[in-house]
Amino acid sequence: MHPAPSLIVFTTLSGLGFGLMVWLGLGLPVAWGWAAFAWCAIAIGGASIGLLASTLHLGNPQRAWRALSQWRSSWLSREGVLAVATLLVFGLYALLWIFFGRRVEALGIAASVLALATVAATAMIYAQLRTVPRWHMPETPILFVLYALAGGALLALQALAGLVLLVLLGCVQVLAWWRGSTAYARSGSSMETATGLTHHGQVRLFEAPHTTPNYLMTEMVFVVGRRRAAALRRIGLALGVVIPALACLLALIVAVPPVVLALAALCHLAGVVAMRWLFYAEAEHLVGLYYGRRPGDRAAA
Amino acid sequence: MSAEPTVDTSPKVSDEIRRTTCYMCACRCGIDVHIKNGHIRHIEGNRDHPVNRGVLCAKGSAGVMQHLSPARLKAPLKRVGPRGSGAFEEISWGEAMALATEWLAEVRHRDPKRLAFFAGRDQSQSLTSFWAQNYGTPNYAAHGGFCSVNMAAAGIYTMGGAFWEFGQPDWERAKLFMIFGVAEDHDSNPIKMGLGRLKARGAKVIGVNPVRTGYNAIADEWIGITPGTDGLFILALVHELLRAGRVDLDYLIRYTNAPFLVIDDPDTADHGLFARDDDGKPLVRDRVTGAVAAFDAPGVKPALKGEAPGPDGRTVLPAFELMARKYLDGAYAPDMVAERCGVPAATIRRIAAELARTAFEEEIVIEQPWTDWKGERHQRMVGRPVAFHAMRGISAHSNGFQTCRTLHLLQILLGSVEVPGGFRFKPPYPKPFTAHPKPHAGSEPDQPLPGPHLGYPHGPEDLLICEDGSPWRIDKAYSWEAPLAAHGLMHMVISNAHARDPYGIDVLFMYMANMAWNSSMNTGGVIDMLTARDETGAYRIPKIIYADSYSSEMVAFADLVLPDTTYLERHDCISLLDRPICEADAAADSIRWPVVEPERPGHAGVRCFQSVLIDLGGRLGLQGFVDADGRPLYADYADYMVAHERRPGVGPLAGWRGAGEVHGRGAPNPHQLDRYIENGGFWLSEIPEEARFFKPWNKAYQDWAVSMGFFDAAQPFVFNLYLEPLRRFQLAAEGRAEPQPPDHLRQRVREAFDPLPTWYPPFGDEGAEAGGYTLHAITQRPAAMYHSWGSQNAWLRQIHGRNPLYVSGDVWREHGFEEGDWAYLSSPHGRIKVPVALMEALNPKTVWTWNAIGKREGAWALSPRAPESRQGFLLNHLIHELLPPRGDGLRWSNSDPVTGQAAWYDLRVRIEKAPPGEEIAEPHVPAQQSPVGRGPDMVKYGEGWS
Amino acid sequence: MTSLPPPSDKKLGLVIDLDTCVGCHACVVSCKSWNSSGYGAPLADLDAYGEAPVGSFLNRIHTFEAKQEGRPAQIVHFPKSCLHCEDAPCVTVCPTGASYKRQADGIVLVNEDWCIGCGLCAWACPYGAREMDQAAGVMKKCTLCVDRIYNDNLPEVDREPACVRTCPAGARHFGDLGDPDSAVSHLVAERGGIDLMPEQGTRPVNKYLPPRPKQEIGEAEPVDLVALAEPEAKGFLGWLDRALEKL
């Protein structure tokens, strides 16, 4: 899949923002006044910038409000509804917290649950797609939630939770990569089933329908270099998981200034961007079968 | 759940449907042009039309993009920069016509042959040839010599018609269909429709083609033959059929010259000619009485074998015995030809058996009595349901004429021509070569030619050569280099004019022929010739007038450009005098008419070329275009279509003549075009049931044809398996008849003019293997693109915007190619750099590409970075008009020695992997300026009015 | 509405005969022509005369090559447009309700006035049947020519999709696949019509008729044509004499 910057920004920032909301809603960290404002601003800002970025992906963003209507069936619609609900509830919670010095526990918990649900709904947009086997796995929503919680924990300066979540995240991410590499094969789809030529030997594309790439190819047939993918995985894991986890460990062992965890959060953000880029770039859409792409096709570089 | 949106399922489709004839290729389908709010809403096939019965191909469906092409010319152009630069100024029509008239009148007054007038994919050849004849230049033809003259000439000489416009398979009844060398050639929709019908009936289709695309992809069996060996493959089938005695003897005796007695008297001037009676009728021997008699004598039972003395005591024997001796020779045994053809011997034997079984054991019968030309009444029509079709793959070789003859031989031996289930002629064919004119030449100042340019010589005495043996025509058609050049040799005009061999010309006048690009062999060389100057600094070809609708590559080389309309803006007639749209069961012709007005706001505008030609005819005072007082006879082409009479009562259009009640022959009807338009743009008259088969010998058909004006008298004939005119040329080459060929051509004429269908290796093979040119290279026309035209079409160019060279799996692996690689492809004549792609379903010794995708930068209103000019390429650069030097001091023409047809499928090449580098096809011809600007960035067709 | 309607009895769709399709692209272009100035926004072509022209098409022909060991490779032309699936994932993912399956006949459509151009439906479709129009920013797809098949302004014979009407080889068939007695259903039954990617669980309405087995070179029994001739034939000219006697 084409790693569209708008979608990377969207999922990354909104994930972090909503992740932070979870912790803030749970009453962590303890802070008041300007500090509360700063935290809430980060959470709401991240979520909002992310959501706004996602509208850049739309052909007709002026109609985006219509996306709230199909929550019964559509994960994207559910995500929209949940995001709005989360922002409203959390907004109220933040208002009372910042300006009236009251952290209403029920509101906070509701916001946390909603934020978590929003992230899960975002994940389900991807995980529901059978057409992208690497996404169509239980690991996908788990990962999205873990990314949000871990990132949120770092931002909320929760060293212990951060450490646990990051370790868990690293394990699930590696598991997802490992299982993801065979997901396409498990889907059972191939150029032969795609064309129905199941008794005709090995099938390959001879001529594409048109000699220049079309929307489907630019959107869904992205070929990532083998070496680049491996490098990005290492960088992503180091920046997104290992270094922040070490920072958390350090914070647990010795007293460090909060800025260390804040820096760890930034480091984590960079790692998440890399891994989110890979999340799209490595995901192979079945439609590639009609354009000559077999599972696992990789460019050399 | 909210309710479903309401969809308007009955929107108004169009305000009006205007029915005309397509011109997105040469197929001539009927189209329904839907007009809505003054725009073309949609173009679809005309369901009533005989050619396409409602269907329409990709090209036809994209007609609106052609009509709105940004490459359309907008005004007459006068060259202001050097030739080829594309620098022009727009001039008025008054100035353009005055200039053209001045140039043409001067030449006509001095020496008319110094005008060469050649039309390309012209569908008005009965007008253009009439104009040229009355102008008085011998130098006229259309593009057939470059296209399929081998097919046409071999068919006419052998059986009075060939494929496409001449005839068609009996799609409704054939049970086995073999198709040779056809990609998306002529007759594209009828072939697709026919294949669909065969498939629906479960008939078997065998495709013979080195490349398994298109029709061959759906064939039930694919023979991936090596190019140039089809004739050999067919003769191996003939060998098998004869060996097994599986030929239709009754058919051969009744309808062919197989029983004709051939004189066997070596060293005499009539050795190999038919023995004839005092009336000149060929003789046969009665197998019962042993007496000789005229072939059409009542009651004679002709023998097919037996040498015996003829009437004058010399030995004579039936042509069939000569055939049996020739084809039963072991050289034609499947085992002997298998390797060369790339077809296993077992396959050849099996196909021969399938042909025989289907023809003779699955014969079909129509209970329709008919009467033959001798008056014999037949109670039923018996058919052999084996049908064949072939096109360029077999004809565009230096052995193409004889290869086409071998195919007709096979058809005729199986008794499958003009019978139910076989191959059927379309009126006005069949028409034997003897009913066609002979060729004419001349060049008298201000005088017409004595007769039509193109025709069918009966022997060397009909050649168009001067006293000294030099050719009359600039293209050397009907000289010893191309004796049966029935369509002329357009591809030789520029190189001969440049070489001033046989003489120079002053004006080159061309129409719809992209000679500076894909319609020439040796494209780079032709560009050089068009721009070459003599010692005085003047162009060697002094003046070039070119008519086209679009900013093609050839436009850039003209001195004066006459802009034509698009096909939706014009009148045209697809005439029975020319290349009509008839079907096997019906005569038909059709028109085009302006379904939209030609508008080029802000410019001088465009005019239908045929109207311009008629106007020029009037200005030049040509006979046939002016009355006795010198006043123009016709206002424009539409007027000519209605009012012109070629013979009394016979005009360009056959329908609704007289007061609208007569068809075929009748007085001109001023309301004729209205009647055509009312009827959907065409006219059709069904052939009576009794006349639908056995046409050459069917009395009912012959009478009907005379009544329709196809001929003035019935002309039954027999098929020429043994082709006596060829023997006459051979006799001249043997030194036994006059005129004789120049010495260097004697051997070639002796070999190529075998009166029996034969095969010899394509000339391009000579020295090919030794030179390392181990591969064959061919092109195919894609179904969604016609010649150059498609690249200006926003929809079609997305389908074919570039073309790779397809190489077989063997070649791919041998050279270690990978996806995205480029290669150098070399022939003895040149080298090109091209992108390569893998194709396993390909003859292993063949490489190929789609033709005419590559474009010159700046042409067709495309961006300079258009893939057509960067990754698209032409094979033409590798093909020369002449063969590589042989060391005999002569340069031999790269063409069929019988007809002169360009032998572009003879091409032999070698391939090597190109190192990584810039991905631009070579040679890259420098850009031409665009006289029409560039196309818009975006097309949103329908916005604002639909 | 984005929920799928209960299964309808009527299932309009196409049957595409891969044994007959010659890959001529007629259906592709006729579809483009009909629909560009028809249902919804025009099918725009970007960079139409430039370096990388790209337009929206609702129907495209892919060409595949199939190779079996020991047999000549085979070319299969493969037209592909929306399959109007019974379990259409493109419908259920739509956040706005723009993408829907008609209750009455099962046609899957996009209501362009509601479409926000998020592209998720194209992601959800395994077949690549949906293309975003880059100019209008709305999703385009085959409508099964819903503005032809019921159109009172067209003669009855023309009330079929443009691609079917134009197909020169007759490789495309339109009809009600929900009716077991329809011509298309019979065709599917006789020729073993198949679903594309059945493992995706989309239950396409459109069916494909696979290429019939080909006669491959050297496959059949060796044939001795002479043996098929009359047994007493000795030599060609001897046979000729006897054969002629019968005429």
Side-chain angles (χ1 to χ4, degrees):
Chain A
M1 301 295 288
H2 172 64
S6 60
L7 292 181
I8 293 172
V9 170
F10 157 53
T11 57
T12 307
L13 290 187
S14 74
L16 270 180
F18 287 117
L20 178 56
M21 282 182 209
V22 173
W23 295 104
L24 298 178
L26 293 175
L28 295 168
V30 178
W32 303 98
W34 282 109
F37 176 80
W39 260 299
C40 291
I42 292 170
I44 292 173
S48 307
I49 293 170
L51 289 172
L52 281 176
S54 76
T55 63
L56 295 178
H57 190 66
L58 302 181
N60 280 289
Q62 77 282 5
R63 300 178 193 149
W65 59 271
R66 288 192 181 274
L68 303 179
S69 67
Q70 302 301 312
W71 51 271
R72 285 191 195 86
S73 52
S74 164
W75 279 109
L76 178 50
S77 187
R78 284 170 197 158
E79 184 225 30
V81 170
L82 285 167
V84 171
T86 307
L87 286 172
L88 286 176
V89 172
F90 184 80
L92 185 61
Y93 172 74
L95 208 65
L96 295 173
W97 179 20
I98 296 165
F99 297 105
F100 299 95
R102 289 192 56 200
R103 273 183 110 163
V104 182
E105 198 174 306
L107 264 182
I109 289 172
S112 298
V113 170
L114 282 169
L116 212 54
T118 306
V119 173
T122 306
M124 284 312 293
I125 297 171
Y126 300 97
Q128 69 176 334
L129 296 174
R130 294 181 68 167
T131 50
V132 185
R134 196 184 271 276
W135 290 348
H136 189 58
M137 299 194 302
E139 286 88 338
T140 300
I142 297 172
L143 266 179
F144 267 66
V145 167
L146 283 175
Y147 272 112
L149 288 177
L154 290 174
L155 286 171
L157 309 178
Q158 303 301 310
L160 178 60
L163 178 64
V164 172
L165 285 164
L166 284 167
V167 170
L168 207 54
L169 169 63
C171 294
V172 177
Q173 179 65 75
V174 171
L175 178 72
W177 282 333
W178 179 61
R179 289 215 327 127
S181 65
T182 54
Y184 205 135
R186 288 198 306 275
S187 78
S189 292
S190 63
M191 227 174 265
E192 288 75 26
T193 67
T195 56
L197 301 173
T198 46
H199 305 289
H200 297 76
Q202 197 180 18
V203 176
R204 68 179 193 95
L205 184 73
F206 171 64
E207 254 189 341
H210 291 185
T211 50
T212 38
N214 59 30
Y215 164 79
L216 295 166
M217 296 170 76
T218 48
E219 178 82 0
M220 294 179 232
V221 185
F222 187 85
V223 179
V224 61
R226 196 181 300 278
R227 285 207 300 275
R228 174 188 283 190
L232 275 176
R233 282 184 180 186
R234 284 194 296 272
I235 291 168
L237 212 52
L239 295 179
V241 176
V242 178
I243 295 173
L246 288 174
C248 289
L249 193 61
L250 192 67
L252 289 173
I253 296 167
V254 294
V256 292
V259 71
V260 171
L261 282 187
L263 286 173
L266 277 179
C267 178
H268 171 76
L269 177 65
V272 176
V273 169
M275 289 196 279
R276 203 46 57 82
W277 189 91
L278 272 179
F279 174 75
Y280 291 103
E282 286 196 300
E284 295 165 290
H285 196 288
L286 295 180
V287 77
L289 295 171
Y290 293 107
Y291 290 90
R293 293 288 154 208
R294 289 177 190 286
D297 272 357
R298 288 283 189 275
Chain B
M1 273 208 7
S2 48
E4 277 183 14
T6 312
V7 174
D8 180 5
T9 56
S10 282
K12 188 172 179 187
V13 173
S14 48
D15 305 320
E16 191 187 345
I17 300 172
R18 299 182 182 161
R19 296 192 164 92
T20 182
T21 304
C22 188
Y23 208 159
M24 294 295 287
C25 77
C27 194
R28 295 125 359 128
C29 296
I31 48 173
D32 292 0
V33 182
H34 290 260
I35 308 284
K36 187 174 184 184
N37 302 332
H39 296 264
I40 297 170
R41 161 74 176 88
H42 186 55
I43 299 176
E44 60 190 0
N46 176 348
R47 284 194 187 271
D48 304 322
H49 199 277
V51 171
N52 56 316
R53 304 185 194 183
V55 309
L56 197 60
C57 75
K59 296 159 290 187
S61 300
V64 65
M65 285 293 120
Q66 204 89 341
H67 172 63
L68 297 174
S69 160
R72 282 182 312 181
L73 298 175
K74 299 167 187 152
L77 300 173
K78 190 169 148 189
R79 182 172 58 80
V80 294
R83 269 206 197 143
S85 67
F88 289 99
E89 63 176 8
E90 293 194 356
I91 57 174
S92 69
W93 270 104
E95 188 181 347
M97 294 302 285
L99 200 56
T101 307
E102 180 194 323
W103 293 357
L104 294 169
E106 193 276 325
V107 168
R108 184 166 193 252
H109 189 62
R110 183 157 44 87
D111 185 2
K113 74 171 183 298
R114 295 184 71 88
L115 166 71
F117 176 44
F118 281 76
R121 290 171 196 92
D122 174 17
Q123 293 178 2
S124 57
Q125 288 172 35
S126 78
L127 169 68
T128 52
S129 63
F130 185 67
W131 187 93
Q133 185 182 329
N134 286 300
Y135 181 92
T137 178
N139 295 319
Y140 163 82
H143 79 298
F146 188 65
C147 180
S148 293
V149 65
N150 273 337
M151 185 63 75
I156 294 283
Y157 273 110
T158 306
M159 54 186 203
F163 302 108
W164 188 28
E165 289 140 325
F166 305 99
Q168 65 187 59
D170 188 348
W171 300 112
E172 312 299 339
R173 300 176 188 85
K175 295 180 183 174
L176 176 58
F177 176 60
M178 274 186 99
I179 183 165
F180 287 75
V182 183
E184 182 76 358
D185 293 303
H186 296 165
D187 233 9
S188 84
N189 280 331
I191 292 176
K192 281 175 273 193
M193 292 155 66
L195 286 170
R197 278 181 273 164
L198 292 173
K199 284 273 178 183
R201 284 196 291 112
K204 181 171 179 180
V205 177
I206 301 178
V208 183
N209 196 312
V211 186
R212 197 179 198 177
T213 51
Y215 310 151
N216 296 285
I218 64 160
D220 300 291
E221 178 167 5
W222 171 60
I223 308 292
I225 197 161
T226 298
T229 65
D230 303 75
L232 191 57
F233 168 64
I234 292 167
L235 291 181
L237 295 173
V238 167
H239 173 91
E240 285 295 287
L241 292 170
L242 284 175
R243 216 164 59 87
R246 306 285 273 182
V247 294
D248 191 336
L249 294 178
D250 185 48
Y251 186 92
L252 292 173
I253 287 170
R254 285 177 185 275
Y255 307 132
T256 78
N257 66 8
F260 286 16
L261 296 173
V262 178
I263 296 166
D264 183 16
D265 188 12
D267 305 324
T268 63
D270 52 5
H271 173 57
L273 299 182
F274 292 137
R276 294 172 186 272
D277 66 11
D278 293 341
D279 296 332
K281 284 191 175 174
L283 297 173
V284 296
R285 186 180 302 282
D286 192 295
R287 63 179 183 271
V288 181
T289 67
V292 296
F295 77 102
D296 57 354
V300 67
K301 287 181 175 307
L304 287 177
K305 75 181 244 296
E307 272 185 46
D312 62 2
R314 294 190 291 171
T315 304
V316 293
L317 74 168
F320 189 70
E321 183 161 346
L322 290 173
M323 289 166 54
R325 288 182 193 169
K326 179 176 170 86
Y327 303 122
L328 286 167
D329 188 290
Y332 296 112
D335 288 309
M336 295 299 290
V337 309
E339 192 184 338
R340 179 150 214 161
C341 297
V343 185
T347 301
I348 300 175
R349 284 192 284 269
R350 179 173 46 72
I351 290 175
E354 281 188 46
L355 289 170
R357 191 195 63 235
T358 312
F360 301 116
E361 288 166 34
E362 298 185 27
E363 70 176 27
I364 51 177
V365 171
I366 298 177
E367 297 297 340
Q368 169 66 55
W370 65 287
T371 304
D372 72 21
W373 56 308
K374 292 179 177 172
E376 187 178 338
R377 187 77 174 158
H378 301 259
Q379 285 314 307
R380 44 218 303 251
M381 293 176 164
V382 177
R384 311 247 170 253
V386 183
F388 297 84
H389 182 78
M391 257 296 151
R392 279 201 212 100
I394 71 169
S395 73
H397 284 290
S398 53
N399 59 15
F401 176 84
Q402 287 286 11
T403 295
C404 296
R405 288 253 301 145
T406 63
L407 182 54
H408 298 320
L409 167 69
L410 176 62
Q411 293 178 282
I412 293 167
L413 287 176
L414 290 166
S416 72
V417 178
E418 262 307 318
V419 299
F423 170 80
R424 308 179 62 192
F425 289 112
K426 305 176 185 180
Y429 298 93
K431 192 172 167 188
F433 77 89
T434 47
H436 287 260
K438 292 178 178 179
H440 292 81
S443 183
E444 293 295 319
D446 293 325
Q447 289 301 313
L449 228 57
H453 300 86
L454 304 175
Y456 290 83
H458 297 192
E461 66 281 7
D462 295 333
L463 291 177
L464 300 181
I465 46 179
C466 307
E467 300 273 307
D468 63 355
S470 66
W472 254 112
R473 290 174 56 106
I474 186 73
D475 58 1
K476 303 189 187 180
Y478 304 109
S479 74
W480 279 106
E481 289 192 22
L484 306 186
H487 290 175
L489 307 175
M490 183 180 211
H491 54 290
M492 298 306 296
V493 173
I494 291 171
S495 66
N496 291 353
H498 169 262
R500 297 177 178 168
D501 169 22
Y503 47 81
I505 59 167
D506 294 320
V507 178
L508 177 64
F509 186 9
M510 288 192 150
Y511 170 52
M512 257 176 114
N514 204 13
M515 302 307 287
W517 203 249
N518 60 299
S519 294
S520 282
M521 300 190 278
N522 185 20
T523 301
V526 168
I527 288 175
D528 290 343
M529 293 172 203
L530 289 170
T531 51
R533 296 172 190 266
D534 63 17
E535 48 291 344
T536 70
Y539 287 116
R540 284 183 72 89
I541 300 174
K543 295 188 179 78
I544 300 178
I545 307 175
Y546 184 54
D548 199 333
S549 305
Y550 306 104
S551 175
S552 64
E553 283 86 353
M554 184 62 196
V555 161
F557 293 87
D559 304 314
L560 174 63
V561 178
L562 303 174
D564 194 6
T565 63
T566 74
Y567 73 109
L568 298 177
E569 300 166 327
R570 60 179 300 128
H571 278 104
D572 254 327
C573 59
I574 293 85
S575 167
L576 283 159
L577 301 179
D578 192 350
R579 307 158 77 185
I581 56 161
C582 302
E583 289 290 295
D585 288 332
D589 61 16
S590 61
I591 65 163
R592 288 190 190 93
W593 57 286
V595 297
V596 287
E597 287 304 315
E599 285 167 357
R600 307 288 185 275
H603 299 271
V606 297
R607 288 176 66 189
C608 161
F609 173 69
Q610 287 72 11
S611 292
V612 169
L613 202 62
I614 287 166
D615 187 350
L616 284 171
R619 290 169 190 248
L620 293 166
L622 303 188
Q623 186 180 315
F625 292 88
V626 292
D627 64 16
D629 301 326
R631 283 180 308 225
L633 277 172
Y634 311 110
D636 56 16
Y637 193 32
D639 188 21
Y640 166 92
M641 282 157 54
V642 170
H644 176 68
E645 285 181 279
R646 194 55 63 90
R647 310 198 307 276
V650 176
L653 293 169
W656 300 287
R657 301 189 68 83
E661 81 294 4
V662 291
H663 304 283
R665 286 178 201 266
N669 171 8
H671 306 295
Q672 195 178 24
L673 294 184
D674 295 336
R675 302 299 301 273
Y676 270 84
I677 291 168
E678 285 162 18
N679 195 54
F682 69 96
W683 162 83
L684 180 140
S685 175
E686 293 208 354
I687 300 175
E689 295 275 349
E690 187 184 343
R692 290 189 175 180
F693 292 93
F694 304 97
K695 287 173 188 144
W697 323 289
N698 184 327
K699 191 166 181 312
Y701 176 78
Q702 295 287 328
D703 292 345
W704 178 80
V706 171
S707 77
M708 295 304 293
F710 302 154
F711 342 116
D712 294 330
Q715 45 189 340
F717 65 99
V718 294
F719 291 160
N720 296 303
L721 291 178
Y722 188 93
L723 188 54
E724 204 180 26
L726 295 184
R727 179 59 198 151
R728 293 188 198 281
F729 282 95
Q730 263 187 335
L731 283 168
E734 289 166 5
R736 285 185 264 190
E738 292 293 337
Q740 295 187 11
D743 287 340
H744 70 277
L745 290 172
R746 281 182 192 277
Q747 180 65 20
R748 198 172 85 164
V749 172
R750 262 203 298 270
E751 284 167 13
F753 282 71
D754 190 327
L756 287 176
T758 193
W759 183 85
Y760 50 85
F763 297 157
D765 282 2
E766 194 178 307
E769 299 285 338
Y773 303 104
T774 53
L775 300 173
H776 299 259
I778 59 175
T779 62
Q780 294 199 132
R781 177 178 298 158
M785 196 64 102
Y786 185 67
H787 287 282
S788 317
W789 296 349
S791 292
Q792 64 188 310
N793 189 302
W795 295 346
L796 297 180
R797 73 182 287 259
Q798 295 183 50
I799 300 173
H800 293 288
R802 50 180 292 181
N803 54 316
L805 182 80
Y806 289 106
V807 308
S808 68
D810 290 1
V811 173
W812 186 264
R813 289 178 280 274
E814 181 192 335
H815 291 268
F817 284 124
E818 286 174 38
E819 197 180 320
D821 275 351
W822 287 61
Y824 287 109
L825 194 69
S826 319
S827 75
H829 175 57
R831 187 169 94 144
I832 60 177
K833 183 182 166 188
V834 300
V836 290
L838 167 67
M839 182 184 201
E840 301 276 4
L842 175 61
N843 174 289
K845 292 185 208 163
T846 302
V847 299
W848 73 279
T849 191
W850 297 119
N851 74 9
I853 304 297
K855 293 291 164 326
R856 185 176 169 199
E857 190 180 324
W860 303 100
L862 296 179
S863 149
R865 295 191 60 82
E868 288 90 340
S869 58
R870 295 168 68 82
Q871 289 94 35
F873 68 92
L874 299 180
L875 276 189
N876 307 45
H877 292 289
L878 297 180
I879 313 172
H880 204 281
E881 306 92 338
L882 304 174
L883 292 172
R886 284 173 169 175
D888 55 8
L890 298 165
R891 287 301 295 275
W892 297 76
S893 154
N894 182 15
S895 58
D896 188 292
V898 180
T899 64
Q901 157 142 21
W904 27 289
Y905 282 167
D906 276 8
L907 179 61
R908 300 297 301 265
V909 294
R910 68 165 168 250
I911 194 168
E912 60 192 303
K913 193 165 164 170
E918 209 180 4
E919 297 191 340
I920 294 186
E922 295 172 14
H924 184 78
V925 177
Q928 68 191 61
Q929 292 176 45
S930 172
V932 293
R934 299 261 154 70
D937 284 341
M938 198 189 299
V939 170
K940 287 191 275 188
Y941 194 68
E943 188 176 55
W945 56 264
S946 65
Chain C
M1 222 210 19
T2 308
S3 305
L4 290 163
S8 60
D9 290 340
K10 193 170 173 186
K11 293 169 185 155
L12 295 185
L14 299 174
V15 173
I16 294 168
D17 188 348
L18 298 181
D19 194 56
T20 302
C21 173
V22 297
C24 74
H25 294 263
C27 55
V28 174
V29 182
S30 189
C31 164
K32 176 92 173 177
S33 166
W34 176 260
N35 288 295
S36 193
S37 48
Y39 182 96
L43 297 168
D45 301 287
L46 279 70
D47 202 13
Y49 304 97
E51 182 175 9
V54 55
S56 319
F57 283 77
L58 311 185
N59 176 30
R60 292 176 185 260
I61 296 186
H62 303 241
T63 308
F64 293 94
E65 189 176 66
K67 178 92 180 83
Q68 246 168 326
E69 203 49 44
R71 289 172 152 246
Q74 197 174 330
I75 295 287
V76 179
H77 301 290
F78 188 87
K80 184 167 59 63
S81 53
C82 174
L83 306 170
H84 299 280
C85 302
E86 294 192 61
D87 282 338
C90 56
V91 169
T92 51
V93 299
C94 177
T96 68
S99 186
Y100 66 105
K101 185 170 176 71
R102 280 158 59 96
Q103 167 87 61
D105 52 22
I107 297 176
V108 176
L109 285 181
V110 172
N111 174 0
E112 292 183 9
D113 294 338
W114 288 8
C115 177
I116 58 172
C118 69
L120 188 58
C121 54
W123 287 14
C125 172
Y127 307 108
R130 291 173 167 244
E131 298 187 14
M132 183 90 78
D133 187 83
Q134 314 269 334
V138 293
M139 194 55 73
K140 288 293 195 175
K141 68 173 297 298
C142 162
T143 67
L144 215 57
C145 284
V146 71
D147 51 353
R148 287 184 67 94
I149 59 177
Y150 302 110
N151 196 325
D152 297 331
N153 297 313
L154 287 174
E156 195 158 345
V157 67
D158 279 343
R159 291 179 204 160
E160 59 183 4
C163 59
V164 175
R165 189 197 184 290
T166 210
C167 177
R172 303 176 73 90
H173 307 268
F174 166 70
D176 180 4
L177 287 139
D179 172 5
D181 286 326
S182 68
V184 282
S185 295
H186 281 296
L187 205 49
V188 170
E190 283 159 23
R191 295 277 307 281
I194 49 149
D195 288 349
L196 301 185
M197 290 203 263
E199 68 280 0
Q200 286 295 312
T202 52
R203 299 201 297 141
V205 170
N206 285 11
K207 305 290 177 205
Y208 283 75
L209 307 180
R212 286 183 263 224
K214 306 285 184 195
Q215 169 99 51
E216 297 302 358
I217 283 175
E219 222 178 31
E221 308 257 309
V223 177
D224 185 1
L225 189 55
V226 177
L228 295 175
E230 296 166 64
E232 73 272 24
K234 288 282 185 290
F236 177 72
L237 295 174
W239 166 83
L240 188 57
D241 276 340
R242 282 189 297 280
L244 283 172
E245 277 166 26
K246 293 181 189 164
L247 288 183

